[in-house]
Amino acid sequence: MPTTQLPNTASLPPDFIWGVSTSSFQIEGATQEDGRGLSIWDIYCRTGEIKNHDTGDSACDHYHRYREDVGLMKALGVQAYRFSVAWPRVRPLGRGSANEAGLSFYDRLIDELLAAGIEPWLCLYHWDLPQALEERGGWLNRESAVWFADYASLIAARFGDRVKRFATFNEPSMFSLFSRSLGKRDGSSEDKLHRMIHNVNLAHGAAVDVLRANVINASIGCIHNRQPCRPSSASEADAAAAARLNVYWNAGFPDPQCRGEYPLSMRVAIEPHMQPGDLARICRPLDWFGLNHYSPVYVKARADSMLGYDFGDKPASLPLTPIGWPIDPDAFSRTLQDVHAQYGLPIYVLENGYGDSGQPNQTGAVIDPGRIEFLKAYINAMNEAASSGVDVRGYFVWSLLDNFEWDSGYSIRFGLTYVDYASLQRTPKSSFGWYAGLIKAMQP
Ligand code: IFM
């Protein structure tokens, strides 16, 4: 690999961790096998609102092909793999009995990773809430913190001998702001949004305590989606809408979790849901800050919507990925600096990546120079942040595989590996070879 094609990594620490990330519902499939319970995403998929009526039923069939997928990770040379456990697979109704077959799947996966020299990073929750809990109010029910702590205790007891890196939640601001459980996204759902935010924060704090008490040498964090929210025009109304969304998107979870306080502008709305001692329950000592970053978000005012915003036009001059997300590595560098300044924790970038719909060429190869350029520019930006003193310790590409991209179904592909969803054959893309070359070049 010519070194000119590699990013500058000179300022990253010598023990920097290179990894890849995935999540349970997006790759596992086997939704009706071995006693797995229903998740809210199985139900959403049945409403017919997902693009092309796609479902997670077979996804990448990782449940059966995990050995092959760990083989891909080995070929990449990654030191770590971040995945999530499907709560309904290990505890089908969310509470009560555990499902031995589901737990055994994660035993096999973890053992395979360890045998390959890859450190497992386990995320407890990447959006696939057991449907049985949704029927009890889901995250709108304050009891959810107790359900989540019980689930964390099952995970700690089963896997804590082999897994040390735990994340409580992936992107809590995303699944609350865009939750279908809130109903129509108008002003009337704002109270539910605040209740959900507070309950998820309580669940985070409770799970941290459980993991800390039950796993020797646990290293614990939460993974936040941080994208600067910018006004899409010079109008005052758009500036106010962007500033408001910025608080909910970027601060409503990390501020209470890491600093023990809600952002000022949220406090009045959270107050009705607050009980004495809650902030101390939420703000538990953490070992790191998980950062997912893709691109800035452009926002306009819209009076009749929840929080008074909508997505607006992006500046015409900004380059975009094929799925229309701005390419703005400086925003990544600044986000790293902000997180460092605001929370002072070591940062692991646990998601960054490029969405397209690239297909194999006539020879069967998947050539994706756009993804390589994107990753190179973003890693350069991370290096720049590190050179200015930001304590960034790892970088995980989203994603190992093309996978189920939520409302967009399988139409959007983020993988370093192409997945043919009919045959389930995996084909490493050219970006896969590039990332492997980078990791190899980093070895002493
Ligand atoms: O696929 C998602 C992932 O589940 C959460 N972070 C953003 C990714 C790309 O949209």
Side-chain angles (χ1 to χ4, degrees):
M1 165 98 29
T3 48
T4 49
Q5 284 181 24
L6 294 179
N8 183 0
T9 51
S11 297
L12 302 178
D15 51 356
F16 193 81
I17 297 176
W18 298 97
V20 280
S21 293
T22 65
S23 89
S24 46
F25 192 77
Q26 292 179 273
I27 64 166
E28 283 180 4
T31 54
Q32 287 159 46
E33 265 180 68
D34 292 343
R36 176 186 175 280
L38 283 175
S39 79
I40 52 177
W41 274 91
D42 297 295
I43 302 298
Y44 293 157
C45 289
R46 289 180 193 168
T47 62
E49 284 172 57
I50 309 294
K51 185 143 187 195
N52 300 322
H53 296 272
D54 287 337
T55 71
D57 289 354
S58 58
C60 305
D61 195 32
H62 172 76
Y63 187 73
H64 298 112
R65 292 164 200 255
Y66 69 92
R67 276 202 188 88
E68 182 181 353
D69 294 338
V70 174
L72 287 167
M73 293 177 224
K74 217 172 161 184
L76 269 175
V78 289
Q79 289 114 21
Y81 171 53
R82 174 200 144 203
F83 65 101
S84 70
V85 169
W87 186 348
R89 197 179 286 292
V90 297
R91 192 164 258 166
L93 299 178
R95 309 177 314 153
S97 311
N99 177 30
E100 179 53 35
L103 290 164
S104 306
F105 164 67
Y106 296 107
D107 275 335
R108 294 194 294 279
L109 171 64
I110 290 164
D111 290 345
E112 190 78 12
L113 287 165
L114 293 173
I118 298 168
E119 186 183 24
W121 285 53
L122 187 158
C123 177
L124 290 174
Y125 187 81
H126 198 126
W127 310 355
D128 39 3
L129 185 74
Q131 175 63 18
L133 297 183
E134 179 75 357
E135 285 160 18
R136 294 177 169 266
W139 298 113
L140 292 169
N141 186 337
R142 193 177 158 104
E143 273 293 289
S144 55
V146 176
W147 307 332
F148 193 62
D150 286 349
Y151 162 56
S153 132
L154 172 71
I155 296 298
R158 180 71 174 225
F159 307 120
D161 56 337
R162 289 156 290 159
V163 179
K164 300 296 169 190
R165 302 281 200 166
F166 291 94
T168 53
F169 284 96
N170 180 69
E171 300 184 354
S173 67
M174 293 298 92
F175 76 79
S176 4
L177 275 172
F178 302 112
S179 171
R180 293 168 204 234
S181 318
L182 302 181
K184 203 160 154 261
R185 291 190 58 239
D186 57 14
S188 65
S189 47
E190 282 187 20
D191 182 58
K192 284 188 184 166
L193 172 69
H194 292 102
R195 196 188 320 163
M196 180 180 285
I197 290 172
H198 191 56
N199 290 342
V200 171
N201 274 324
L202 286 167
H204 158 84
V208 172
D209 284 349
V210 164
L211 293 167
R212 195 73 77 197
N214 293 290
V215 179
I216 298 164
N217 293 330
S219 172
I220 307 170
C222 182
I223 307 167
H224 300 285
N225 182 299
R226 299 262 302 196
Q227 327 296 332
C229 300
R230 298 177 177 164
S232 64
S233 81
S235 82
E236 265 180 39
D238 288 356
R244 185 154 197 230
L245 181 62
N246 200 53
V247 168
Y248 284 81
W249 192 304
N250 294 313
F253 290 91
D255 277 17
Q257 292 178 9
C258 305
R259 304 210 306 216
E261 59 186 14
Y262 277 99
L264 207 54
S265 60
M266 286 175 74
R267 289 183 197 165
V268 169
I270 292 282
E271 191 50 42
H273 310 292
M274 185 80 86
Q275 293 185 9
D278 275 1
L279 286 170
R281 289 186 186 99
I282 292 169
C283 184
R284 313 302 301 144
L286 292 173
D287 301 294
W288 44 267
F289 188 105
L291 171 66
N292 292 355
H293 178 88
Y294 291 86
S295 62
V297 174
Y298 288 85
V299 176
K300 65 180 179 191
R302 191 178 136 193
D304 64 346
S305 72
M306 190 178 79
L307 301 180
Y309 79 94
D310 203 346
F311 294 110
D313 292 335
K314 298 150 196 155
S317 56
L318 262 188
L320 303 176
T321 67
I323 60 166
W325 291 10
I327 301 176
D328 188 347
D330 286 347
F332 182 36
S333 182
R334 279 203 298 278
T335 299
L336 282 159
Q337 287 167 22
D338 288 350
V339 169
H340 175 70
Q342 287 168 19
Y343 306 112
L345 286 167
I347 302 170
Y348 290 94
V349 178
L350 292 177
E351 280 186 33
N352 177 234
Y354 175 95
D356 64 12
S357 50
Q359 294 292 326
N361 63 18
Q362 286 111 327
T363 68
V366 186
I367 310 296
D368 55 344
R371 179 168 288 105
I372 295 174
E373 283 310 311
F374 178 97
L375 296 176
K376 183 178 160 194
Y378 275 69
I379 294 169
N380 273 331
M382 174 173 68
N383 184 68
E384 192 187 300
S387 73
S388 73
V390 173
D391 182 6
V392 54
R393 301 192 184 176
Y395 176 90
F396 291 50
V397 173
W398 183 267
S399 179
L400 170 68
L401 304 168
D402 291 338
N403 58 48
F404 178 83
E405 178 57 18
W406 308 113
D407 285 356
S408 304
Y410 299 101
S411 66
I412 290 179
R413 295 173 177 271
F414 272 92
L416 295 171
T417 308
Y418 177 86
V419 176
D420 175 333
Y421 293 110
S423 67
L424 294 165
Q425 190 186 324
R426 279 94 162 116
T427 305
K429 302 179 187 178
S430 48
S431 56
F432 183 108
W434 177 86
Y435 193 46
L438 166 65
I439 297 171
K440 197 161 178 208
M442 298 294 296
Q443 303 312 311

PDB file of all heavy atoms in Angstrom, residues 16-34:
ATOM      1  N   PHE A  16      -3.132   2.626  20.219  1.00  0.00           N
ATOM      2  CA  PHE A  16      -4.416   2.993  19.623  1.00  0.00           C
ATOM      3  C   PHE A  16      -5.128   1.733  19.118  1.00  0.00           C
ATOM      4  O   PHE A  16      -4.505   0.836  18.550  1.00  0.00           O
ATOM      5  CB  PHE A  16      -4.167   3.958  18.454  1.00  0.00           C
ATOM      6  CG  PHE A  16      -5.398   4.647  17.956  1.00  0.00           C
ATOM      7  CD1 PHE A  16      -5.899   5.763  18.606  1.00  0.00           C
ATOM      8  CD2 PHE A  16      -6.069   4.173  16.829  1.00  0.00           C
ATOM      9  CE1 PHE A  16      -7.041   6.406  18.148  1.00  0.00           C
ATOM     10  CE2 PHE A  16      -7.200   4.802  16.367  1.00  0.00           C
ATOM     11  CZ  PHE A  16      -7.688   5.928  17.028  1.00  0.00           C
ATOM     12  N   ILE A  17      -6.461   1.677  19.323  1.00  0.00           N
ATOM     13  CA  ILE A  17      -7.230   0.488  18.938  1.00  0.00           C
ATOM     14  C   ILE A  17      -7.981   0.741  17.634  1.00  0.00           C
ATOM     15  O   ILE A  17      -8.730   1.713  17.513  1.00  0.00           O
ATOM     16  CB  ILE A  17      -8.248   0.128  20.053  1.00  0.00           C
ATOM     17  CG1 ILE A  17      -7.504  -0.239  21.334  1.00  0.00           C
ATOM     18  CG2 ILE A  17      -9.167  -0.992  19.615  1.00  0.00           C
ATOM     19  CD1 ILE A  17      -8.432  -0.519  22.511  1.00  0.00           C
ATOM     20  N   TRP A  18      -7.788  -0.140  16.668  1.00  0.00           N
ATOM     21  CA  TRP A  18      -8.536  -0.082  15.403  1.00  0.00           C
ATOM     22  C   TRP A  18      -9.594  -1.184  15.441  1.00  0.00           C
ATOM     23  O   TRP A  18      -9.292  -2.323  15.804  1.00  0.00           O
ATOM     24  CB  TRP A  18      -7.602  -0.286  14.209  1.00  0.00           C
ATOM     25  CG  TRP A  18      -6.557   0.783  14.114  1.00  0.00           C
ATOM     26  CD1 TRP A  18      -5.282   0.716  14.580  1.00  0.00           C
ATOM     27  CD2 TRP A  18      -6.713   2.099  13.556  1.00  0.00           C
ATOM     28  NE1 TRP A  18      -4.630   1.907  14.336  1.00  0.00           N
ATOM     29  CE2 TRP A  18      -5.479   2.775  13.708  1.00  0.00           C
ATOM     30  CE3 TRP A  18      -7.768   2.772  12.934  1.00  0.00           C
ATOM     31  CZ2 TRP A  18      -5.281   4.086  13.272  1.00  0.00           C
ATOM     32  CZ3 TRP A  18      -7.561   4.081  12.491  1.00  0.00           C
ATOM     33  CH2 TRP A  18      -6.339   4.725  12.664  1.00  0.00           C
ATOM     34  N   GLY A  19     -10.817  -0.827  15.066  1.00  0.00           N
ATOM     35  CA  GLY A  19     -11.880  -1.812  15.176  1.00  0.00           C
ATOM     36  C   GLY A  19     -12.958  -1.636  14.129  1.00  0.00           C
ATOM     37  O   GLY A  19     -12.865  -0.798  13.233  1.00  0.00           O
ATOM     38  N   VAL A  20     -13.979  -2.463  14.247  1.00  0.00           N
ATOM     39  CA  VAL A  20     -15.196  -2.331  13.436  1.00  0.00           C
ATOM     40  C   VAL A  20     -16.387  -2.532  14.364  1.00  0.00           C
ATOM     41  O   VAL A  20     -16.283  -3.192  15.402  1.00  0.00           O
ATOM     42  CB  VAL A  20     -15.273  -3.372  12.285  1.00  0.00           C
ATOM     43  CG1 VAL A  20     -14.431  -2.956  11.100  1.00  0.00           C
ATOM     44  CG2 VAL A  20     -14.908  -4.768  12.762  1.00  0.00           C
ATOM     45  N   SER A  21     -17.534  -1.970  13.956  1.00  0.00           N
ATOM     46  CA  SER A  21     -18.755  -2.062  14.765  1.00  0.00           C
ATOM     47  C   SER A  21     -19.905  -2.644  13.953  1.00  0.00           C
ATOM     48  O   SER A  21     -19.958  -2.473  12.728  1.00  0.00           O
ATOM     49  CB  SER A  21     -19.187  -0.662  15.230  1.00  0.00           C
ATOM     50  OG  SER A  21     -18.269  -0.123  16.129  1.00  0.00           O
ATOM     51  N   THR A  22     -20.828  -3.271  14.683  1.00  0.00           N
ATOM     52  CA  THR A  22     -22.100  -3.733  14.093  1.00  0.00           C
ATOM     53  C   THR A  22     -23.162  -3.649  15.187  1.00  0.00           C
ATOM     54  O   THR A  22     -22.856  -3.241  16.314  1.00  0.00           O
ATOM     55  CB  THR A  22     -22.051  -5.216  13.639  1.00  0.00           C
ATOM     56  OG1 THR A  22     -21.886  -6.034  14.815  1.00  0.00           O
ATOM     57  CG2 THR A  22     -20.926  -5.504  12.659  1.00  0.00           C
ATOM     58  N   SER A  23     -24.380  -4.079  14.867  1.00  0.00           N
ATOM     59  CA  SER A  23     -25.384  -4.228  15.938  1.00  0.00           C
ATOM     60  C   SER A  23     -26.256  -5.435  15.654  1.00  0.00           C
ATOM     61  O   SER A  23     -26.393  -5.860  14.500  1.00  0.00           O
ATOM     62  CB  SER A  23     -26.248  -2.976  16.071  1.00  0.00           C
ATOM     63  OG  SER A  23     -27.371  -3.052  15.225  1.00  0.00           O
ATOM     64  N   SER A  24     -26.839  -5.954  16.715  1.00  0.00           N
ATOM     65  CA  SER A  24     -27.576  -7.217  16.642  1.00  0.00           C
ATOM     66  C   SER A  24     -28.660  -7.227  15.564  1.00  0.00           C
ATOM     67  O   SER A  24     -28.619  -8.039  14.632  1.00  0.00           O
ATOM     68  CB  SER A  24     -28.189  -7.544  18.002  1.00  0.00           C
ATOM     69  OG  SER A  24     -28.820  -6.397  18.561  1.00  0.00           O
ATOM     70  N   PHE A  25     -29.639  -6.318  15.664  1.00  0.00           N
ATOM     71  CA  PHE A  25     -30.765  -6.410  14.740  1.00  0.00           C
ATOM     72  C   PHE A  25     -30.314  -6.180  13.296  1.00  0.00           C
ATOM     73  O   PHE A  25     -30.891  -6.736  12.363  1.00  0.00           O
ATOM     74  CB  PHE A  25     -31.866  -5.398  15.104  1.00  0.00           C
ATOM     75  CG  PHE A  25     -33.145  -5.663  14.355  1.00  0.00           C
ATOM     76  CD1 PHE A  25     -33.995  -6.695  14.732  1.00  0.00           C
ATOM     77  CD2 PHE A  25     -33.484  -4.914  13.229  1.00  0.00           C
ATOM     78  CE1 PHE A  25     -35.157  -6.968  14.014  1.00  0.00           C
ATOM     79  CE2 PHE A  25     -34.643  -5.178  12.508  1.00  0.00           C
ATOM     80  CZ  PHE A  25     -35.488  -6.206  12.909  1.00  0.00           C
ATOM     81  N   GLN A  26     -29.270  -5.391  13.127  1.00  0.00           N
ATOM     82  CA  GLN A  26     -28.856  -5.041  11.764  1.00  0.00           C
ATOM     83  C   GLN A  26     -28.147  -6.186  11.038  1.00  0.00           C
ATOM     84  O   GLN A  26     -28.069  -6.162   9.810  1.00  0.00           O
ATOM     85  CB  GLN A  26     -27.957  -3.800  11.804  1.00  0.00           C
ATOM     86  CG  GLN A  26     -28.741  -2.553  12.223  1.00  0.00           C
ATOM     87  CD  GLN A  26     -27.893  -1.304  12.293  1.00  0.00           C
ATOM     88  OE1 GLN A  26     -27.289  -1.034  13.315  1.00  0.00           O
ATOM     89  NE2 GLN A  26     -27.830  -0.554  11.215  1.00  0.00           N
ATOM     90  N   ILE A  27     -27.620  -7.170  11.789  1.00  0.00           N
ATOM     91  CA  ILE A  27     -26.873  -8.227  11.092  1.00  0.00           C
ATOM     92  C   ILE A  27     -27.311  -9.657  11.417  1.00  0.00           C
ATOM     93  O   ILE A  27     -27.113 -10.552  10.608  1.00  0.00           O
ATOM     94  CB  ILE A  27     -25.344  -8.140  11.351  1.00  0.00           C
ATOM     95  CG1 ILE A  27     -24.994  -8.359  12.826  1.00  0.00           C
ATOM     96  CG2 ILE A  27     -24.774  -6.825  10.851  1.00  0.00           C
ATOM     97  CD1 ILE A  27     -23.487  -8.613  13.049  1.00  0.00           C
ATOM     98  N   GLU A  28     -27.889  -9.879  12.590  1.00  0.00           N
ATOM     99  CA  GLU A  28     -28.031 -11.276  13.045  1.00  0.00           C
ATOM    100  C   GLU A  28     -28.998 -12.118  12.224  1.00  0.00           C
ATOM    101  O   GLU A  28     -28.734 -13.280  11.936  1.00  0.00           O
ATOM    102  CB  GLU A  28     -28.477 -11.314  14.514  1.00  0.00           C
ATOM    103  CG  GLU A  28     -27.367 -11.014  15.486  1.00  0.00           C
ATOM    104  CD  GLU A  28     -27.842 -11.048  16.936  1.00  0.00           C
ATOM    105  OE1 GLU A  28     -29.030 -11.376  17.198  1.00  0.00           O
ATOM    106  OE2 GLU A  28     -27.030 -10.732  17.814  1.00  0.00           O
ATOM    107  N   GLY A  29     -30.172 -11.575  11.890  1.00  0.00           N
ATOM    108  CA  GLY A  29     -31.217 -12.421  11.306  1.00  0.00           C
ATOM    109  C   GLY A  29     -31.683 -13.422  12.354  1.00  0.00           C
ATOM    110  O   GLY A  29     -31.616 -13.154  13.561  1.00  0.00           O
ATOM    111  N   ALA A  30     -32.166 -14.593  11.892  1.00  0.00           N
ATOM    112  CA  ALA A  30     -32.606 -15.658  12.822  1.00  0.00           C
ATOM    113  C   ALA A  30     -33.528 -15.090  13.900  1.00  0.00           C
ATOM    114  O   ALA A  30     -33.404 -15.429  15.071  1.00  0.00           O
ATOM    115  CB  ALA A  30     -31.391 -16.352  13.449  1.00  0.00           C
ATOM    116  N   THR A  31     -34.448 -14.259  13.488  1.00  0.00           N
ATOM    117  CA  THR A  31     -35.295 -13.569  14.476  1.00  0.00           C
ATOM    118  C   THR A  31     -36.306 -14.516  15.122  1.00  0.00           C
ATOM    119  O   THR A  31     -36.866 -14.183  16.158  1.00  0.00           O
ATOM    120  CB  THR A  31     -36.053 -12.386  13.835  1.00  0.00           C
ATOM    121  OG1 THR A  31     -36.755 -12.883  12.699  1.00  0.00           O
ATOM    122  CG2 THR A  31     -35.114 -11.275  13.426  1.00  0.00           C
ATOM    123  N   GLN A  32     -36.529 -15.661  14.445  1.00  0.00           N
ATOM    124  CA  GLN A  32     -37.515 -16.563  15.035  1.00  0.00           C
ATOM    125  C   GLN A  32     -36.898 -17.883  15.463  1.00  0.00           C
ATOM    126  O   GLN A  32     -37.564 -18.897  15.559  1.00  0.00           O
ATOM    127  CB  GLN A  32     -38.638 -16.799  14.028  1.00  0.00           C
ATOM    128  CG  GLN A  32     -39.519 -15.553  13.919  1.00  0.00           C
ATOM    129  CD  GLN A  32     -40.311 -15.516  12.639  1.00  0.00           C
ATOM    130  OE1 GLN A  32     -40.906 -16.510  12.259  1.00  0.00           O
ATOM    131  NE2 GLN A  32     -40.294 -14.380  11.958  1.00  0.00           N
ATOM    132  N   GLU A  33     -35.606 -17.840  15.706  1.00  0.00           N
ATOM    133  CA  GLU A  33     -34.926 -19.101  16.033  1.00  0.00           C
ATOM    134  C   GLU A  33     -34.516 -19.201  17.491  1.00  0.00           C
ATOM    135  O   GLU A  33     -34.232 -18.188  18.138  1.00  0.00           O
ATOM    136  CB  GLU A  33     -33.655 -19.230  15.196  1.00  0.00           C
ATOM    137  CG  GLU A  33     -33.908 -20.032  13.950  1.00  0.00           C
ATOM    138  CD  GLU A  33     -32.655 -20.164  13.120  1.00  0.00           C
ATOM    139  OE1 GLU A  33     -31.709 -20.847  13.548  1.00  0.00           O
ATOM    140  OE2 GLU A  33     -32.654 -19.568  12.040  1.00  0.00           O
ATOM    141  N   ASP A  34     -34.454 -20.422  17.970  1.00  0.00           N
ATOM    142  CA  ASP A  34     -33.852 -20.738  19.273  1.00  0.00           C
ATOM    143  C   ASP A  34     -34.437 -19.911  20.403  1.00  0.00           C
ATOM    144  O   ASP A  34     -33.721 -19.488  21.323  1.00  0.00           O
ATOM    145  CB  ASP A  34     -32.317 -20.530  19.224  1.00  0.00           C
ATOM    146  CG  ASP A  34     -31.633 -21.547  18.323  1.00  0.00           C
ATOM    147  OD1 ASP A  34     -32.266 -22.575  18.008  1.00  0.00           O
ATOM    148  OD2 ASP A  34     -30.475 -21.309  17.927  1.00  0.00           O
TER     149      ASP A  34
END
